[in-house]
Amino acid sequence: MTRKIRFAGRFLFLSCDSDAVQRQIAGQDLALPAALPLRDNISTDEITPVVIMMTYDERLGTYPYVGFKTEGKLPIGNDAIKHGGFEITVAGKRYGKGSSRESSPLAEKSAGIRLIIAESFERIYRQNCDNIGIYTSTDFSLIERIRAGEAIDLDEFLVGRDAITQQVIRAGGLLPYSQQHLPKQPAKVFNSLVDLRRPMTLVEKIIERRCVAPQGDLHPGDGVFLSADWRFSHDYFTGMCAHLMHGAFGEDLELARPEQIIAFQDHLILADQSYPHVRDNLLAAVGGLASAHDAFVRRYPVLAHGALAGQSGSEGICHALLTEKYALPGQVVVGTDSHTPHSGALGCLAFGAGATDIANSWATGFIRCRMPEVIKVELKGRLRPGVTAKDIVLELLRSEPIRQGQAIGAVFEYTGEAVSALSIDERATLTNMVAELGGFTGIVIPDQRAVAFIRERRGIEIELEDWLFSDPDAHYKERIVIDCAALSALVAAPGDPGNGIALDDLEQPVPVDIAYGGSCTAGKREDFDYYHEVLAWGLARGLRIAEHTRLYLQFGTLAVRDYCQQRGYLDTFEQAGVELIMPGCGACANCGPGSSTHAEQVTVSAINRNFPGRSGPGQVWLASPYTVVASALLGRLASFEALQADFAAEAELA
């Protein structure tokens, strides 16, 4: 007999109309038409801002939607959802975009939310809901049926979901499913590729090689469990993962292949220099997360990258260190962060997952995903000087199909002349920001640049295996072609990475208070080459950072700092008045120097996302490393090309 689900609580329509939201919080029930239009692109930064992610239990129920912003207002306060009797949330397109933080659905569940209806969902967010037992649906006809008192068949929440996901939902979550169905003694799996059933992309080949369930021919959309290589967490979620794992599998559990599990201390490492964390007395709570992280590292023989001795900062940001030190072409890399696709620059299948998925992977060695559809992105021509991989991604992000979520869950396979010419650092920007594109992961077919990168960064020689390519006749969901030679410098206006605009098309000057270069996306060696190039050019012409602007540059890893020191960059940065920050996630996670402190401040930043509250309460414009530093020198948004033209014009007038 089909199980029936009955909902008795209130609906919360996350409307673009702040007054409509406030009326609901005050106790008024609205019909859907009165709440239209619904907010699209609600990010996990809005559902659970980083400054409240200090716990991983039912206390999160105080906070869902406290960062939700519409019409410039934050209409939902602490405990409003829990005390308001809400049970169903309704929203627009691409609900739950951004971070992989499982804190968001856990906060919703802890506040009483049992069902979320949206026009579309981001992949990681929806999978996190499945894993912890929140129902999701894109069927808006459920609204009136539930209001009429109808009990809904569980099967209606399984429509369109793959077979494994259906079983997970029926079991009440991933960990109960795992205990019932997954093998107890995991091992690495390398299935034979001799009997290829069809031409395949590289990602499909990796999945075929590592698939442990189900057996047989796989098709796009099929749920699978893969034998994962590198499995990592960072300090926000190590304690949560361990808590979930021990609750499901017991305290005496032995980890599956602990030598391939890594714990990174990077997200909260600069909390003592973070304005909101100090202001709100959150350092004790940060210490609690750090203690849980350290306890896991002490208890198990895992790899760990932690705080620097005797100084602030960490050894590096998780994604950057994985690419510098560990990931190899053809491997499977998973972690508690949406920017895990960074390692796809080396030809890995690398993707982010929530805490429950990672906890399960530690215990079993397996990670759940779907056989994805693949989008081939052909980057034709060569980039102009001063135009970077960041500009390519901003161009993709502003396209209407991407903004509407048509690439959710897809792989972006980057190819073409421009990709071949890019360094691994720049390719990593392309794959890293697939998180913002809504995709499953990004990948570049490994070549001799990848071999040289591994040799240079690790001092080891590898040979590329003969299957590490996409077959010429492989099937792609779609092909996107970008003429890179025609690209100019772009920025993304505050609120969403998809708000792209060419700098030349700005209608009026945008003064800049803060310029920030860093994060996993923009703290690599080549990013610092760009920062230095602009500053050295400026210093040679007597330019300095604008009086009203502060320029922060943060190293992605300690090795990047050493690289800059060896090349003499630090002297240039000191002469220019740059404020240097040691490795960590910092302002990108609103947890370190470089974040705004009040709403009127304007930041130009090389980070990967600019959702409301992401890097402080101010307005964040996304840009390339070149644009960040050029803007710092001019004191307003500008490309390096515009900076050079301005100087030439002034020199001519003089």
Side-chain angles (χ1 to χ4, degrees):
M1 181 178 292
T2 301
R3 180 181 166 193
K4 298 277 189 177
I5 312 296
R6 188 174 295 278
F7 300 92
R10 298 176 62 206
F11 283 82
L12 174 66
F13 297 100
L14 293 176
S15 172
C16 291
D17 182 347
S18 62
D19 180 65
V21 177
Q22 289 171 329
R23 281 187 282 133
Q24 293 175 87
I25 297 300
Q28 181 179 349
D29 289 326
L30 300 183
L32 174 60
L36 295 177
L38 299 171
R39 255 287 312 274
D40 294 331
N41 299 308
I42 296 173
S43 71
T44 51
D45 282 278
E46 295 179 82
I47 301 170
T48 48
V50 291
V51 292
I52 59 90
M53 290 166 50
M54 297 295 120
T55 184
Y56 41 83
D57 58 24
E58 65 278 355
R59 287 173 291 175
L60 282 168
T62 291
Y63 304 109
Y65 315 129
V66 295
F68 171 77
K69 193 171 189 178
T70 188
E71 296 186 317
K73 299 177 183 178
L74 299 170
I76 302 176
N78 289 358
D79 288 316
I81 306 307
K82 182 185 294 184
H83 293 165
F86 295 102
E87 196 173 23
I88 304 105
T89 296
V90 185
K93 298 181 180 69
R94 297 192 67 181
Y95 187 80
K97 69 188 297 186
S99 167
S100 64
R101 65 188 69 161
E102 196 166 313
S103 308
S104 294
L106 184 58
E108 291 168 308
K109 182 177 181 180
S110 298
I113 300 297
R114 297 174 60 211
L115 167 63
I116 298 168
I117 301 171
E119 291 183 58
S120 62
F121 293 90
E122 291 291 293
R123 177 193 67 85
I124 299 177
Y125 173 84
R126 195 174 198 187
Q127 186 159 314
N128 286 342
C129 287
D130 299 337
N131 287 345
I132 66 172
I134 290 182
Y135 300 110
T136 62
S137 178
T138 59
D139 182 1
F140 277 64
S141 72
L142 291 174
I143 295 172
E144 291 308 316
R145 293 168 58 194
I146 291 171
R147 277 196 159 154
E150 181 181 342
I152 308 300
D153 285 349
L154 175 62
D155 286 351
E156 295 203 40
F157 299 115
L158 308 181
V159 174
R161 316 304 299 280
D162 64 82
I164 286 179
T165 297
Q166 290 182 13
Q167 293 178 55
V168 168
I169 294 171
R170 288 185 183 281
L174 175 63
L175 297 179
Y177 168 88
S178 181
Q179 291 173 302
Q180 297 169 26
H181 298 287
L182 290 184
K184 301 301 181 185
Q185 298 296 325
K188 285 188 178 181
V189 174
F190 296 96
N191 295 329
S192 171
L193 283 177
V194 175
D195 182 26
L196 293 179
R197 290 176 290 278
R198 65 184 188 282
M200 289 192 288
T201 64
L202 176 56
V203 162
E204 291 171 322
K205 290 181 182 181
I206 296 172
I207 290 175
E208 289 273 0
R209 284 173 64 86
R210 296 305 182 90
C211 183
V212 295
Q215 300 298 317
D217 197 7
L218 297 175
H219 302 279
D222 287 346
V224 296
F225 279 94
L226 307 180
S227 177
D229 294 291
W230 302 106
R231 293 152 285 148
F232 75 84
S233 67
H234 55 66
D235 40 355
Y236 260 124
F237 295 119
T238 303
M240 178 186 280
C241 293
H243 174 75
L244 293 168
M245 179 181 71
H246 290 139
F249 297 99
E251 292 289 336
D252 297 330
L253 173 76
E254 291 187 7
L255 303 185
R257 292 179 267 115
E259 72 280 1
Q260 289 187 308
I261 295 172
I262 314 176
F264 293 98
Q265 204 168 11
D266 60 356
H267 275 59
L268 294 165
I269 200 71
L270 297 168
D272 61 347
Q273 300 174 54
S274 167
Y275 176 77
H277 288 78
V278 173
R279 177 198 62 198
D280 297 340
N281 298 312
L282 296 174
L283 296 185
V286 168
L289 292 178
S291 295
H293 177 94
D294 292 341
F296 175 78
V297 169
R298 288 194 303 270
R299 181 170 182 173
Y300 294 106
V302 300
L303 298 169
H305 289 279
L308 298 175
Q311 58 184 315
S312 67
S314 68
E315 293 177 66
I317 301 171
C318 48
H319 319 297
L321 282 171
L322 260 165
T323 307
E324 284 186 357
K325 292 180 173 291
Y326 299 108
L328 291 170
Q331 289 188 326
V332 175
V333 178
V334 293
T336 57
D337 198 290
S338 59
H339 292 109
T340 303
H342 194 100
S343 295
L346 291 176
C348 301
L349 173 59
F351 57 95
T356 298
D357 274 307
I358 297 303
N360 188 63
S361 78
W362 286 352
T364 66
F366 305 139
I367 191 72
R368 180 166 70 104
C369 69
R370 298 173 70 189
M371 177 64 88
E373 295 183 300
V374 183
I375 296 172
K376 187 172 188 175
V377 182
E378 184 179 356
L379 303 179
K380 297 174 62 176
R382 295 290 186 104
L383 293 169
R384 293 160 45 190
V387 181
T388 71
K390 182 65 167 286
D391 299 298
I392 294 173
V393 179
L394 292 177
E395 175 69 17
L396 276 169
L397 278 162
R398 70 172 178 164
S399 68
E400 196 57 29
I402 300 299
R403 285 179 56 82
Q404 293 301 317
Q406 293 182 24
I408 289 176
V411 172
F412 285 73
E413 181 184 298
Y414 294 99
T415 185
E417 180 186 358
V419 176
S420 298
L422 291 177
S423 68
I424 299 301
D425 278 354
E426 281 284 83
R427 294 177 187 182
T429 298
L430 297 178
T431 59
N432 176 293
M433 288 192 65
V434 167
E436 282 63 53
L437 294 165
F440 171 49
T441 191
I443 197 165
V444 178
I445 306 303
D447 57 12
Q448 290 306 307
R449 283 186 182 269
V451 173
F453 176 91
I454 292 167
R455 180 193 311 119
E456 176 189 352
R457 304 296 170 97
R458 307 179 205 172
I460 62 173
E461 292 287 344
I462 68 162
E463 290 187 9
L464 297 175
E465 296 181 52
D466 60 8
W467 60 273
L468 288 166
F469 62 93
S470 291
D471 296 324
D473 297 328
H475 172 74
Y476 292 92
K477 173 187 177 182
E478 186 180 349
R479 284 175 166 82
I480 298 173
V481 179
I482 294 177
D483 181 1
C484 291
L487 281 184
S488 60
L490 285 86
V491 290
D496 193 275
N499 296 336
I501 182 171
L503 274 166
D504 293 341
D505 293 337
L506 287 177
E507 294 181 356
Q508 57 188 14
V510 179
V512 168
D513 302 296
I514 298 169
Y516 176 85
S519 79
C520 55
T521 308
K524 309 179 295 298
R525 292 187 188 187
E526 188 151 349
D527 299 311
F528 274 83
D529 290 340
Y530 299 153
Y531 300 138
H532 180 266
E533 181 183 345
V534 180
L535 287 170
W537 181 92
L539 286 173
R541 290 155 180 81
L543 300 178
R544 295 293 186 274
I545 297 167
E547 188 175 344
H548 66 277
T549 305
R550 299 177 71 175
L551 173 58
Y552 299 87
L553 296 180
Q554 183 165 28
F555 308 110
T557 69
L558 200 58
V560 173
R561 193 281 309 267
D562 294 344
Y563 169 82
C564 292
Q565 191 170 42
Q566 292 160 9
R567 295 180 69 91
Y569 290 178
L570 300 187
D571 293 337
T572 302
F573 298 153
E574 182 179 3
Q575 291 176 48
V578 174
E579 299 179 55
L580 294 174
I581 310 171
M582 293 300 286
C585 289
C588 183
N590 198 20
C591 191
S595 295
S596 60
T597 56
H598 57 82
E600 292 72 30
Q601 287 178 303
V602 175
T603 297
V604 58
S605 181
I607 64 176
N608 36 50
R609 51 182 58 141
N610 59 346
F611 302 128
R614 176 69 187 186
S615 193
Q619 303 173 60
V620 179
W621 293 75
L622 298 184
S624 75
Y626 277 121
T627 297
V628 165
V629 178
S631 300
L633 292 176
L634 275 176
R636 58 176 171 81
L637 281 183
S639 65
F640 187 23
E641 184 177 31
L643 171 66
Q644 292 169 313
D646 274 20
F647 181 84
E650 289 180 11
E652 190 172 313
L653 287 174

